[in-house]
Amino acid sequence: MYRLLKLYQPSCRPCQMVSQFLESHNVEHEAINVLENPDVAVKYGIMSTPVTILLDDEGNEIQRSIGFKPDEIQKMISKLQ
């Protein structure tokens, strides 16, 4: 079973676009504000936002998308189903 993380900043326009995309596709995901959770940003090596990460059931990273790239995010969504 895979899970999806969205790492974002509230004032980031591309982050808002990723959120809208995931909501429009009814995708269950964990949203993490990197400003409130800098330890998580460090853990995943986040240098800019948004970052969408697909994890396996053991928490290993399977795929990563940086920025708003609908095609890449859609490929991750297809692995969730």
Side-chain angles (χ1 to χ4, degrees):
M1 185 73 162
Y2 294 117
R3 66 185 179 118
L4 199 63
L5 298 181
K6 175 189 71 178
L7 296 108
Y8 74 99
Q9 296 180 56
S11 62
C12 165
R13 180 64 185 133
C15 297
Q16 295 166 6
M17 294 167 69
V18 169
S19 293
Q20 291 169 353
F21 184 83
L22 293 174
E23 288 171 14
S24 71
H25 288 81
N26 262 348
V27 177
E28 187 175 319
H29 64 283
E30 183 179 349
I32 301 170
N33 180 336
V34 296
L35 299 177
E36 293 178 355
N37 300 284
D39 54 325
V40 176
V42 169
K43 176 182 176 180
Y44 289 105
I46 304 303
M47 303 299 283
S48 64
T49 56
V51 176
T52 309
I53 301 175
L54 182 67
L55 300 173
D56 67 13
D57 56 351
E58 295 178 7
N60 299 311
E61 185 173 323
I62 302 299
Q63 189 174 351
R64 174 182 292 224
S65 177
I66 301 170
F68 177 57
K69 297 179 183 158
D71 291 341
E72 289 180 8
I73 297 170
Q74 185 63 50
K75 287 178 186 175
M76 286 191 258
I77 291 171
S78 69
K79 293 178 182 177
L80 293 172
Q81 300 167 347

